[in-house]
Amino acid sequence: MRMRNKKNLIPRMEKCAAVQVFDPAAQRGRWAALLDGCAEVRAEIGCGKGQFTAAVAHASPDALLVAIEKVPNAMVTAMERAVAEDIPNVRFIDADAATLREIFAPGEVSVFYINFPDPWPRKKEAKHRLTAPAFLAMYWDTLPVGGRIEYKTDQQWLFDWSLEQFAYMGYDVRDVTRDLHANGQTGFMTNYETRFHEQGVPICRCVAVKTEDRPATAVPEKKRPAPDEAARSTP
């Protein structure tokens, strides 16, 4: 469902200009310079209204969090939250995840957060999923050894499919759970996640770690899934 245009969108975004980067490619390799004492750069793909963004930024004041969102109608709410809460270590960019290599230098991002991405459920749409091999290769290229992807979704089939893709691309998959909040809230929630949790919908989560320094395309054969797994898409 398409989000309706926010009233006075442009003036509202202009008031939040201090937390937006208008030419992200110009910051490639220099993101840490935007925060005094920056220890690491993290990126959230699809920040939505910014509930999770604000929580992570508050909890990690020495990390610069780059929030990527291609829907300005959602991003303006997140930007207003950051301004209202006076959060110094978050920057927003209006960009598509497909341009990550143009935005970040190799090894520049220590953590990618991918929360409740569009599932693109039809088989022919699989390449658009944010855990498809082409996207995982982009994350790999911009992560250092030891860098990680933290991934959450409410779609069980998509989670299983994503686990296969992580393995296929050579990531070490850890902390796998299919009911993250079974024993109470764990970690920071997004707006959607809060709603799902209240409805009793189980949340899947895992962490995918880059454990070796090699080209993203050079995946060891032992880490490739069996042919039937590689071909699997949606139920």
PDB file of all heavy atoms in Angstrom, residues 52 56 112-118 131 149-155 158-159 162 166 177 180-181 185-190 193-194 196 203-207:
ATOM      1  N   PHE A  52      13.216   2.623  15.784  1.00  0.00           N
ATOM      2  CA  PHE A  52      14.414   1.817  15.983  1.00  0.00           C
ATOM      3  C   PHE A  52      15.672   2.681  15.823  1.00  0.00           C
ATOM      4  O   PHE A  52      16.618   2.588  16.612  1.00  0.00           O
ATOM      5  CB  PHE A  52      14.428   0.665  14.974  1.00  0.00           C
ATOM      6  CG  PHE A  52      15.653  -0.207  15.015  1.00  0.00           C
ATOM      7  CD1 PHE A  52      15.709  -1.303  15.864  1.00  0.00           C
ATOM      8  CD2 PHE A  52      16.739   0.043  14.186  1.00  0.00           C
ATOM      9  CE1 PHE A  52      16.834  -2.125  15.903  1.00  0.00           C
ATOM     10  CE2 PHE A  52      17.857  -0.766  14.211  1.00  0.00           C
ATOM     11  CZ  PHE A  52      17.913  -1.853  15.073  1.00  0.00           C
ATOM     12  N   VAL A  56      18.619   3.017  18.731  1.00  0.00           N
ATOM     13  CA  VAL A  56      19.996   2.554  18.507  1.00  0.00           C
ATOM     14  C   VAL A  56      20.979   3.708  18.643  1.00  0.00           C
ATOM     15  O   VAL A  56      22.041   3.573  19.254  1.00  0.00           O
ATOM     16  CB  VAL A  56      20.123   1.899  17.117  1.00  0.00           C
ATOM     17  CG1 VAL A  56      21.589   1.654  16.761  1.00  0.00           C
ATOM     18  CG2 VAL A  56      19.349   0.590  17.081  1.00  0.00           C
ATOM     19  N   PHE A 112      25.109  -3.473   9.377  1.00  0.00           N
ATOM     20  CA  PHE A 112      23.910  -3.139   8.608  1.00  0.00           C
ATOM     21  C   PHE A 112      22.692  -3.657   9.365  1.00  0.00           C
ATOM     22  O   PHE A 112      22.656  -4.824   9.765  1.00  0.00           O
ATOM     23  CB  PHE A 112      23.937  -3.788   7.225  1.00  0.00           C
ATOM     24  CG  PHE A 112      24.770  -3.064   6.209  1.00  0.00           C
ATOM     25  CD1 PHE A 112      26.008  -3.576   5.826  1.00  0.00           C
ATOM     26  CD2 PHE A 112      24.321  -1.893   5.631  1.00  0.00           C
ATOM     27  CE1 PHE A 112      26.783  -2.913   4.893  1.00  0.00           C
ATOM     28  CE2 PHE A 112      25.098  -1.222   4.693  1.00  0.00           C
ATOM     29  CZ  PHE A 112      26.327  -1.730   4.322  1.00  0.00           C
ATOM     30  N   TYR A 113      21.703  -2.811   9.552  1.00  0.00           N
ATOM     31  CA  TYR A 113      20.431  -3.223  10.137  1.00  0.00           C
ATOM     32  C   TYR A 113      19.411  -3.331   9.014  1.00  0.00           C
ATOM     33  O   TYR A 113      19.181  -2.363   8.275  1.00  0.00           O
ATOM     34  CB  TYR A 113      19.942  -2.200  11.158  1.00  0.00           C
ATOM     35  CG  TYR A 113      20.849  -1.996  12.342  1.00  0.00           C
ATOM     36  CD1 TYR A 113      21.607  -0.831  12.471  1.00  0.00           C
ATOM     37  CD2 TYR A 113      20.950  -2.953  13.351  1.00  0.00           C
ATOM     38  CE1 TYR A 113      22.433  -0.626  13.561  1.00  0.00           C
ATOM     39  CE2 TYR A 113      21.780  -2.759  14.444  1.00  0.00           C
ATOM     40  CZ  TYR A 113      22.520  -1.588  14.545  1.00  0.00           C
ATOM     41  OH  TYR A 113      23.350  -1.389  15.626  1.00  0.00           O
ATOM     42  N   ILE A 114      18.791  -4.503   8.891  1.00  0.00           N
ATOM     43  CA  ILE A 114      17.728  -4.709   7.907  1.00  0.00           C
ATOM     44  C   ILE A 114      16.515  -5.227   8.666  1.00  0.00           C
ATOM     45  O   ILE A 114      16.479  -6.381   9.110  1.00  0.00           O
ATOM     46  CB  ILE A 114      18.146  -5.711   6.817  1.00  0.00           C
ATOM     47  CG1 ILE A 114      19.455  -5.282   6.161  1.00  0.00           C
ATOM     48  CG2 ILE A 114      17.038  -5.865   5.779  1.00  0.00           C
ATOM     49  CD1 ILE A 114      19.976  -6.281   5.144  1.00  0.00           C
ATOM     50  N   ASN A 115      15.528  -4.372   8.838  1.00  0.00           N
ATOM     51  CA  ASN A 115      14.367  -4.706   9.646  1.00  0.00           C
ATOM     52  C   ASN A 115      13.092  -4.713   8.808  1.00  0.00           C
ATOM     53  O   ASN A 115      12.730  -3.706   8.205  1.00  0.00           O
ATOM     54  CB  ASN A 115      14.192  -3.676  10.773  1.00  0.00           C
ATOM     55  CG  ASN A 115      15.351  -3.692  11.745  1.00  0.00           C
ATOM     56  OD1 ASN A 115      15.829  -4.748  12.149  1.00  0.00           O
ATOM     57  ND2 ASN A 115      15.829  -2.511  12.130  1.00  0.00           N
ATOM     58  N   PHE A 116      12.450  -5.863   8.746  1.00  0.00           N
ATOM     59  CA  PHE A 116      11.141  -6.011   8.113  1.00  0.00           C
ATOM     60  C   PHE A 116      11.100  -5.431   6.695  1.00  0.00           C
ATOM     61  O   PHE A 116      10.274  -4.564   6.379  1.00  0.00           O
ATOM     62  CB  PHE A 116      10.054  -5.377   9.004  1.00  0.00           C
ATOM     63  CG  PHE A 116      10.079  -5.930  10.391  1.00  0.00           C
ATOM     64  CD1 PHE A 116      10.798  -5.285  11.393  1.00  0.00           C
ATOM     65  CD2 PHE A 116       9.450  -7.119  10.690  1.00  0.00           C
ATOM     66  CE1 PHE A 116      10.864  -5.822  12.669  1.00  0.00           C
ATOM     67  CE2 PHE A 116       9.509  -7.667  11.968  1.00  0.00           C
ATOM     68  CZ  PHE A 116      10.224  -7.014  12.964  1.00  0.00           C
ATOM     69  N   PRO A 117      11.994  -5.902   5.836  1.00  0.00           N
ATOM     70  CA  PRO A 117      12.016  -5.403   4.460  1.00  0.00           C
ATOM     71  C   PRO A 117      10.824  -5.915   3.665  1.00  0.00           C
ATOM     72  O   PRO A 117      10.177  -6.902   4.044  1.00  0.00           O
ATOM     73  CB  PRO A 117      13.320  -5.977   3.908  1.00  0.00           C
ATOM     74  CG  PRO A 117      13.486  -7.267   4.660  1.00  0.00           C
ATOM     75  CD  PRO A 117      13.007  -6.965   6.055  1.00  0.00           C
ATOM     76  N   ASP A 118      10.543  -5.245   2.566  1.00  0.00           N
ATOM     77  CA  ASP A 118       9.506  -5.697   1.648  1.00  0.00           C
ATOM     78  C   ASP A 118       9.818  -7.132   1.236  1.00  0.00           C
ATOM     79  O   ASP A 118      10.922  -7.409   0.752  1.00  0.00           O
ATOM     80  CB  ASP A 118       9.491  -4.780   0.424  1.00  0.00           C
ATOM     81  CG  ASP A 118       8.291  -5.020  -0.490  1.00  0.00           C
ATOM     82  OD1 ASP A 118       7.829  -6.180  -0.579  1.00  0.00           O
ATOM     83  OD2 ASP A 118       7.835  -4.055  -1.123  1.00  0.00           O
ATOM     84  N   THR A 131      17.844  -9.427   0.932  1.00  0.00           N
ATOM     85  CA  THR A 131      18.773 -10.510   1.265  1.00  0.00           C
ATOM     86  C   THR A 131      19.069 -11.379   0.044  1.00  0.00           C
ATOM     87  O   THR A 131      19.593 -12.480   0.189  1.00  0.00           O
ATOM     88  CB  THR A 131      18.208 -11.381   2.405  1.00  0.00           C
ATOM     89  OG1 THR A 131      16.855 -11.765   2.091  1.00  0.00           O
ATOM     90  CG2 THR A 131      18.222 -10.623   3.723  1.00  0.00           C
ATOM     91  N   ILE A 149      25.523  -8.189   9.616  1.00  0.00           N
ATOM     92  CA  ILE A 149      24.175  -7.781   9.245  1.00  0.00           C
ATOM     93  C   ILE A 149      23.241  -8.285  10.333  1.00  0.00           C
ATOM     94  O   ILE A 149      23.275  -9.470  10.687  1.00  0.00           O
ATOM     95  CB  ILE A 149      23.745  -8.401   7.902  1.00  0.00           C
ATOM     96  CG1 ILE A 149      24.688  -7.978   6.776  1.00  0.00           C
ATOM     97  CG2 ILE A 149      22.301  -8.014   7.566  1.00  0.00           C
ATOM     98  CD1 ILE A 149      24.516  -8.807   5.509  1.00  0.00           C
ATOM     99  N   GLU A 150      22.420  -7.403  10.890  1.00  0.00           N
ATOM    100  CA  GLU A 150      21.397  -7.805  11.851  1.00  0.00           C
ATOM    101  C   GLU A 150      20.053  -7.732  11.131  1.00  0.00           C
ATOM    102  O   GLU A 150      19.642  -6.664  10.671  1.00  0.00           O
ATOM    103  CB  GLU A 150      21.432  -6.902  13.087  1.00  0.00           C
ATOM    104  CG  GLU A 150      22.753  -6.988  13.839  1.00  0.00           C
ATOM    105  CD  GLU A 150      22.716  -6.316  15.205  1.00  0.00           C
ATOM    106  OE1 GLU A 150      21.605  -5.935  15.664  1.00  0.00           O
ATOM    107  OE2 GLU A 150      23.797  -6.165  15.812  1.00  0.00           O
ATOM    108  N   TYR A 151      19.393  -8.859  11.050  1.00  0.00           N
ATOM    109  CA  TYR A 151      18.226  -9.006  10.178  1.00  0.00           C
ATOM    110  C   TYR A 151      17.000  -9.474  10.959  1.00  0.00           C
ATOM    111  O   TYR A 151      17.087 -10.417  11.746  1.00  0.00           O
ATOM    112  CB  TYR A 151      18.568 -10.011   9.079  1.00  0.00           C
ATOM    113  CG  TYR A 151      17.450 -10.371   8.142  1.00  0.00           C
ATOM    114  CD1 TYR A 151      16.870  -9.417   7.316  1.00  0.00           C
ATOM    115  CD2 TYR A 151      16.986 -11.682   8.051  1.00  0.00           C
ATOM    116  CE1 TYR A 151      15.851  -9.755   6.432  1.00  0.00           C
ATOM    117  CE2 TYR A 151      15.981 -12.039   7.167  1.00  0.00           C
ATOM    118  CZ  TYR A 151      15.410 -11.073   6.363  1.00  0.00           C
ATOM    119  OH  TYR A 151      14.410 -11.410   5.488  1.00  0.00           O
ATOM    120  N   LYS A 152      15.866  -8.801  10.715  1.00  0.00           N
ATOM    121  CA  LYS A 152      14.609  -9.196  11.345  1.00  0.00           C
ATOM    122  C   LYS A 152      13.476  -9.179  10.331  1.00  0.00           C
ATOM    123  O   LYS A 152      13.421  -8.310   9.459  1.00  0.00           O
ATOM    124  CB  LYS A 152      14.259  -8.259  12.512  1.00  0.00           C
ATOM    125  CG  LYS A 152      15.134  -8.417  13.735  1.00  0.00           C
ATOM    126  CD  LYS A 152      14.580  -7.695  14.951  1.00  0.00           C
ATOM    127  CE  LYS A 152      14.755  -6.203  14.891  1.00  0.00           C
ATOM    128  NZ  LYS A 152      14.409  -5.536  16.183  1.00  0.00           N
ATOM    129  N   THR A 153      12.553 -10.128  10.474  1.00  0.00           N
ATOM    130  CA  THR A 153      11.365 -10.173   9.641  1.00  0.00           C
ATOM    131  C   THR A 153      10.273 -10.950  10.368  1.00  0.00           C
ATOM    132  O   THR A 153      10.565 -11.781  11.237  1.00  0.00           O
ATOM    133  CB  THR A 153      11.646 -10.836   8.280  1.00  0.00           C
ATOM    134  OG1 THR A 153      10.444 -10.875   7.504  1.00  0.00           O
ATOM    135  CG2 THR A 153      12.155 -12.268   8.445  1.00  0.00           C
ATOM    136  N   ASP A 154       9.032 -10.679  10.004  1.00  0.00           N
ATOM    137  CA  ASP A 154       7.912 -11.443  10.537  1.00  0.00           C
ATOM    138  C   ASP A 154       7.495 -12.543   9.567  1.00  0.00           C
ATOM    139  O   ASP A 154       6.606 -13.339   9.879  1.00  0.00           O
ATOM    140  CB  ASP A 154       6.715 -10.522  10.803  1.00  0.00           C
ATOM    141  CG  ASP A 154       6.189  -9.896   9.526  1.00  0.00           C
ATOM    142  OD1 ASP A 154       6.998  -9.297   8.791  1.00  0.00           O
ATOM    143  OD2 ASP A 154       4.980 -10.005   9.252  1.00  0.00           O
ATOM    144  N   GLN A 155       8.140 -12.601   8.401  1.00  0.00           N
ATOM    145  CA  GLN A 155       7.790 -13.580   7.366  1.00  0.00           C
ATOM    146  C   GLN A 155       8.670 -14.818   7.512  1.00  0.00           C
ATOM    147  O   GLN A 155       9.847 -14.796   7.168  1.00  0.00           O
ATOM    148  CB  GLN A 155       7.988 -12.956   5.979  1.00  0.00           C
ATOM    149  CG  GLN A 155       7.177 -11.699   5.730  1.00  0.00           C
ATOM    150  CD  GLN A 155       5.703 -11.991   5.531  1.00  0.00           C
ATOM    151  OE1 GLN A 155       5.334 -13.001   4.937  1.00  0.00           O
ATOM    152  NE2 GLN A 155       4.845 -11.106   6.029  1.00  0.00           N
ATOM    153  N   LEU A 158      10.301 -16.066   4.289  1.00  0.00           N
ATOM    154  CA  LEU A 158      11.370 -15.175   3.839  1.00  0.00           C
ATOM    155  C   LEU A 158      12.612 -15.360   4.699  1.00  0.00           C
ATOM    156  O   LEU A 158      13.742 -15.302   4.195  1.00  0.00           O
ATOM    157  CB  LEU A 158      10.887 -13.719   3.913  1.00  0.00           C
ATOM    158  CG  LEU A 158      11.909 -12.652   3.519  1.00  0.00           C
ATOM    159  CD1 LEU A 158      12.355 -12.834   2.075  1.00  0.00           C
ATOM    160  CD2 LEU A 158      11.328 -11.254   3.722  1.00  0.00           C
ATOM    161  N   PHE A 159      12.417 -15.594   5.980  1.00  0.00           N
ATOM    162  CA  PHE A 159      13.546 -15.816   6.879  1.00  0.00           C
ATOM    163  C   PHE A 159      14.309 -17.071   6.466  1.00  0.00           C
ATOM    164  O   PHE A 159      15.548 -17.053   6.360  1.00  0.00           O
ATOM    165  CB  PHE A 159      13.039 -15.949   8.315  1.00  0.00           C
ATOM    166  CG  PHE A 159      14.122 -16.008   9.349  1.00  0.00           C
ATOM    167  CD1 PHE A 159      14.940 -14.920   9.583  1.00  0.00           C
ATOM    168  CD2 PHE A 159      14.317 -17.158  10.113  1.00  0.00           C
ATOM    169  CE1 PHE A 159      15.942 -14.968  10.553  1.00  0.00           C
ATOM    170  CE2 PHE A 159      15.295 -17.209  11.087  1.00  0.00           C
ATOM    171  CZ  PHE A 159      16.116 -16.115  11.303  1.00  0.00           C
ATOM    172  N   SER A 162      16.175 -16.389   3.349  1.00  0.00           N
ATOM    173  CA  SER A 162      17.307 -15.495   3.617  1.00  0.00           C
ATOM    174  C   SER A 162      18.462 -16.250   4.259  1.00  0.00           C
ATOM    175  O   SER A 162      19.634 -15.984   3.949  1.00  0.00           O
ATOM    176  CB  SER A 162      16.866 -14.335   4.506  1.00  0.00           C
ATOM    177  OG  SER A 162      15.879 -13.551   3.868  1.00  0.00           O
ATOM    178  N   PHE A 166      22.304 -16.142   2.926  1.00  0.00           N
ATOM    179  CA  PHE A 166      23.463 -15.791   3.752  1.00  0.00           C
ATOM    180  C   PHE A 166      24.538 -16.869   3.629  1.00  0.00           C
ATOM    181  O   PHE A 166      25.724 -16.570   3.442  1.00  0.00           O
ATOM    182  CB  PHE A 166      23.055 -15.640   5.217  1.00  0.00           C
ATOM    183  CG  PHE A 166      22.301 -14.378   5.535  1.00  0.00           C
ATOM    184  CD1 PHE A 166      21.130 -14.424   6.284  1.00  0.00           C
ATOM    185  CD2 PHE A 166      22.753 -13.132   5.117  1.00  0.00           C
ATOM    186  CE1 PHE A 166      20.429 -13.266   6.594  1.00  0.00           C
ATOM    187  CE2 PHE A 166      22.065 -11.970   5.420  1.00  0.00           C
ATOM    188  CZ  PHE A 166      20.896 -12.038   6.159  1.00  0.00           C
ATOM    189  N   THR A 177      16.864 -17.075  15.635  1.00  0.00           N
ATOM    190  CA  THR A 177      15.652 -17.324  16.409  1.00  0.00           C
ATOM    191  C   THR A 177      14.439 -17.042  15.547  1.00  0.00           C
ATOM    192  O   THR A 177      14.459 -16.134  14.718  1.00  0.00           O
ATOM    193  CB  THR A 177      15.586 -16.458  17.680  1.00  0.00           C
ATOM    194  OG1 THR A 177      14.322 -16.688  18.343  1.00  0.00           O
ATOM    195  CG2 THR A 177      15.691 -14.969  17.365  1.00  0.00           C
ATOM    196  N   LEU A 180      11.741 -14.077  18.547  1.00  0.00           N
ATOM    197  CA  LEU A 180      12.674 -13.224  19.282  1.00  0.00           C
ATOM    198  C   LEU A 180      12.152 -12.785  20.641  1.00  0.00           C
ATOM    199  O   LEU A 180      12.894 -12.749  21.622  1.00  0.00           O
ATOM    200  CB  LEU A 180      13.002 -11.994  18.430  1.00  0.00           C
ATOM    201  CG  LEU A 180      13.919 -10.932  19.036  1.00  0.00           C
ATOM    202  CD1 LEU A 180      15.293 -11.522  19.342  1.00  0.00           C
ATOM    203  CD2 LEU A 180      14.046  -9.743  18.078  1.00  0.00           C
ATOM    204  N   HIS A 181      10.874 -12.458  20.712  1.00  0.00           N
ATOM    205  CA  HIS A 181      10.317 -11.896  21.944  1.00  0.00           C
ATOM    206  C   HIS A 181       9.489 -12.907  22.735  1.00  0.00           C
ATOM    207  O   HIS A 181       8.592 -12.525  23.496  1.00  0.00           O
ATOM    208  CB  HIS A 181       9.463 -10.673  21.606  1.00  0.00           C
ATOM    209  CG  HIS A 181      10.166  -9.656  20.775  1.00  0.00           C
ATOM    210  ND1 HIS A 181      11.311  -9.007  21.190  1.00  0.00           N
ATOM    211  CD2 HIS A 181       9.899  -9.178  19.517  1.00  0.00           C
ATOM    212  CE1 HIS A 181      11.714  -8.169  20.240  1.00  0.00           C
ATOM    213  NE2 HIS A 181      10.879  -8.262  19.229  1.00  0.00           N
ATOM    214  N   GLN A 185      10.223  -8.605  25.566  1.00  0.00           N
ATOM    215  CA  GLN A 185      10.878  -7.783  24.553  1.00  0.00           C
ATOM    216  C   GLN A 185      12.394  -7.912  24.623  1.00  0.00           C
ATOM    217  O   GLN A 185      12.995  -7.812  25.693  1.00  0.00           O
ATOM    218  CB  GLN A 185      10.483  -6.312  24.707  1.00  0.00           C
ATOM    219  CG  GLN A 185      11.140  -5.404  23.677  1.00  0.00           C
ATOM    220  CD  GLN A 185      10.691  -3.968  23.796  1.00  0.00           C
ATOM    221  OE1 GLN A 185       9.641  -3.668  24.346  1.00  0.00           O
ATOM    222  NE2 GLN A 185      11.504  -3.046  23.277  1.00  0.00           N
ATOM    223  N   THR A 186      12.990  -8.136  23.457  1.00  0.00           N
ATOM    224  CA  THR A 186      14.432  -8.259  23.343  1.00  0.00           C
ATOM    225  C   THR A 186      14.947  -7.218  22.353  1.00  0.00           C
ATOM    226  O   THR A 186      14.527  -7.188  21.192  1.00  0.00           O
ATOM    227  CB  THR A 186      14.818  -9.668  22.835  1.00  0.00           C
ATOM    228  OG1 THR A 186      14.327 -10.645  23.760  1.00  0.00           O
ATOM    229  CG2 THR A 186      16.327  -9.803  22.707  1.00  0.00           C
ATOM    230  N   GLY A 187      15.822  -6.341  22.811  1.00  0.00           N
ATOM    231  CA  GLY A 187      16.394  -5.332  21.924  1.00  0.00           C
ATOM    232  C   GLY A 187      15.422  -4.214  21.596  1.00  0.00           C
ATOM    233  O   GLY A 187      14.366  -4.075  22.213  1.00  0.00           O
ATOM    234  N   PHE A 188      15.799  -3.452  20.588  1.00  0.00           N
ATOM    235  CA  PHE A 188      14.995  -2.293  20.189  1.00  0.00           C
ATOM    236  C   PHE A 188      14.027  -2.685  19.073  1.00  0.00           C
ATOM    237  O   PHE A 188      14.397  -3.406  18.156  1.00  0.00           O
ATOM    238  CB  PHE A 188      15.904  -1.164  19.711  1.00  0.00           C
ATOM    239  CG  PHE A 188      16.918  -0.742  20.730  1.00  0.00           C
ATOM    240  CD1 PHE A 188      18.272  -0.814  20.460  1.00  0.00           C
ATOM    241  CD2 PHE A 188      16.514  -0.280  21.980  1.00  0.00           C
ATOM    242  CE1 PHE A 188      19.211  -0.430  21.396  1.00  0.00           C
ATOM    243  CE2 PHE A 188      17.453   0.097  22.928  1.00  0.00           C
ATOM    244  CZ  PHE A 188      18.800   0.026  22.638  1.00  0.00           C
ATOM    245  N   MET A 189      12.816  -2.168  19.156  1.00  0.00           N
ATOM    246  CA  MET A 189      11.782  -2.504  18.182  1.00  0.00           C
ATOM    247  C   MET A 189      11.542  -1.377  17.188  1.00  0.00           C
ATOM    248  O   MET A 189      11.698  -0.205  17.516  1.00  0.00           O
ATOM    249  CB  MET A 189      10.460  -2.802  18.891  1.00  0.00           C
ATOM    250  CG  MET A 189      10.412  -4.090  19.678  1.00  0.00           C
ATOM    251  SD  MET A 189       8.708  -4.406  20.232  1.00  0.00           S
ATOM    252  CE  MET A 189       8.907  -5.993  21.040  1.00  0.00           C
ATOM    253  N   THR A 190      11.132  -1.753  15.988  1.00  0.00           N
ATOM    254  CA  THR A 190      10.661  -0.788  15.008  1.00  0.00           C
ATOM    255  C   THR A 190       9.178  -0.531  15.273  1.00  0.00           C
ATOM    256  O   THR A 190       8.546  -1.217  16.076  1.00  0.00           O
ATOM    257  CB  THR A 190      10.825  -1.320  13.575  1.00  0.00           C
ATOM    258  OG1 THR A 190       9.888  -2.380  13.362  1.00  0.00           O
ATOM    259  CG2 THR A 190      12.243  -1.828  13.343  1.00  0.00           C
ATOM    260  N   GLU A 193       7.366  -3.639  14.245  1.00  0.00           N
ATOM    261  CA  GLU A 193       7.644  -4.724  15.174  1.00  0.00           C
ATOM    262  C   GLU A 193       6.810  -4.597  16.437  1.00  0.00           C
ATOM    263  O   GLU A 193       6.295  -5.596  16.969  1.00  0.00           O
ATOM    264  CB  GLU A 193       9.136  -4.729  15.518  1.00  0.00           C
ATOM    265  CG  GLU A 193       9.606  -5.911  16.331  1.00  0.00           C
ATOM    266  CD  GLU A 193      11.111  -5.919  16.490  1.00  0.00           C
ATOM    267  OE1 GLU A 193      11.778  -4.975  16.003  1.00  0.00           O
ATOM    268  OE2 GLU A 193      11.620  -6.873  17.092  1.00  0.00           O
ATOM    269  N   THR A 194       6.666  -3.391  16.937  1.00  0.00           N
ATOM    270  CA  THR A 194       5.833  -3.161  18.118  1.00  0.00           C
ATOM    271  C   THR A 194       4.411  -3.628  17.853  1.00  0.00           C
ATOM    272  O   THR A 194       3.785  -4.308  18.684  1.00  0.00           O
ATOM    273  CB  THR A 194       5.838  -1.670  18.500  1.00  0.00           C
ATOM    274  OG1 THR A 194       7.174  -1.274  18.815  1.00  0.00           O
ATOM    275  CG2 THR A 194       4.934  -1.420  19.700  1.00  0.00           C
ATOM    276  N   PHE A 196       3.402  -5.825  15.525  1.00  0.00           N
ATOM    277  CA  PHE A 196       3.379  -7.280  15.369  1.00  0.00           C
ATOM    278  C   PHE A 196       3.431  -7.976  16.727  1.00  0.00           C
ATOM    279  O   PHE A 196       2.718  -8.950  16.972  1.00  0.00           O
ATOM    280  CB  PHE A 196       4.569  -7.741  14.517  1.00  0.00           C
ATOM    281  CG  PHE A 196       4.525  -7.296  13.088  1.00  0.00           C
ATOM    282  CD1 PHE A 196       5.707  -7.060  12.396  1.00  0.00           C
ATOM    283  CD2 PHE A 196       3.331  -7.114  12.422  1.00  0.00           C
ATOM    284  CE1 PHE A 196       5.690  -6.642  11.073  1.00  0.00           C
ATOM    285  CE2 PHE A 196       3.296  -6.702  11.098  1.00  0.00           C
ATOM    286  CZ  PHE A 196       4.478  -6.464  10.420  1.00  0.00           C
ATOM    287  N   ILE A 203       8.588 -12.958  15.769  1.00  0.00           N
ATOM    288  CA  ILE A 203       9.594 -12.228  15.003  1.00  0.00           C
ATOM    289  C   ILE A 203      10.834 -13.093  14.822  1.00  0.00           C
ATOM    290  O   ILE A 203      11.368 -13.641  15.792  1.00  0.00           O
ATOM    291  CB  ILE A 203       9.976 -10.918  15.717  1.00  0.00           C
ATOM    292  CG1 ILE A 203       8.732 -10.056  15.981  1.00  0.00           C
ATOM    293  CG2 ILE A 203      11.028 -10.159  14.898  1.00  0.00           C
ATOM    294  CD1 ILE A 203       7.951  -9.679  14.744  1.00  0.00           C
ATOM    295  N   CYS A 204      11.302 -13.193  13.581  1.00  0.00           N
ATOM    296  CA  CYS A 204      12.519 -13.947  13.276  1.00  0.00           C
ATOM    297  C   CYS A 204      13.711 -12.987  13.256  1.00  0.00           C
ATOM    298  O   CYS A 204      13.597 -11.851  12.784  1.00  0.00           O
ATOM    299  CB  CYS A 204      12.396 -14.607  11.909  1.00  0.00           C
ATOM    300  SG  CYS A 204      10.993 -15.725  11.717  1.00  0.00           S
ATOM    301  N   ARG A 205      14.833 -13.455  13.750  1.00  0.00           N
ATOM    302  CA  ARG A 205      16.034 -12.629  13.748  1.00  0.00           C
ATOM    303  C   ARG A 205      17.277 -13.504  13.616  1.00  0.00           C
ATOM    304  O   ARG A 205      17.327 -14.639  14.112  1.00  0.00           O
ATOM    305  CB  ARG A 205      16.151 -11.815  15.033  1.00  0.00           C
ATOM    306  CG  ARG A 205      17.402 -10.916  15.093  1.00  0.00           C
ATOM    307  CD  ARG A 205      17.512 -10.201  16.433  1.00  0.00           C
ATOM    308  NE  ARG A 205      18.656  -9.304  16.489  1.00  0.00           N
ATOM    309  CZ  ARG A 205      19.895  -9.668  16.816  1.00  0.00           C
ATOM    310  NH1 ARG A 205      20.153 -10.933  17.125  1.00  0.00           N
ATOM    311  NH2 ARG A 205      20.875  -8.779  16.845  1.00  0.00           N
ATOM    312  N   CYS A 206      18.299 -12.947  12.963  1.00  0.00           N
ATOM    313  CA  CYS A 206      19.600 -13.599  12.917  1.00  0.00           C
ATOM    314  C   CYS A 206      20.668 -12.536  12.713  1.00  0.00           C
ATOM    315  O   CYS A 206      20.378 -11.379  12.402  1.00  0.00           O
ATOM    316  CB  CYS A 206      19.670 -14.654  11.808  1.00  0.00           C
ATOM    317  SG  CYS A 206      19.683 -13.966  10.136  1.00  0.00           S
ATOM    318  N   VAL A 207      21.905 -12.933  12.907  1.00  0.00           N
ATOM    319  CA  VAL A 207      23.062 -12.078  12.657  1.00  0.00           C
ATOM    320  C   VAL A 207      23.954 -12.809  11.653  1.00  0.00           C
ATOM    321  O   VAL A 207      24.284 -13.983  11.851  1.00  0.00           O
ATOM    322  CB  VAL A 207      23.846 -11.793  13.949  1.00  0.00           C
ATOM    323  CG1 VAL A 207      25.086 -10.958  13.639  1.00  0.00           C
ATOM    324  CG2 VAL A 207      22.964 -11.090  14.971  1.00  0.00           C
TER     325      VAL A 207
END
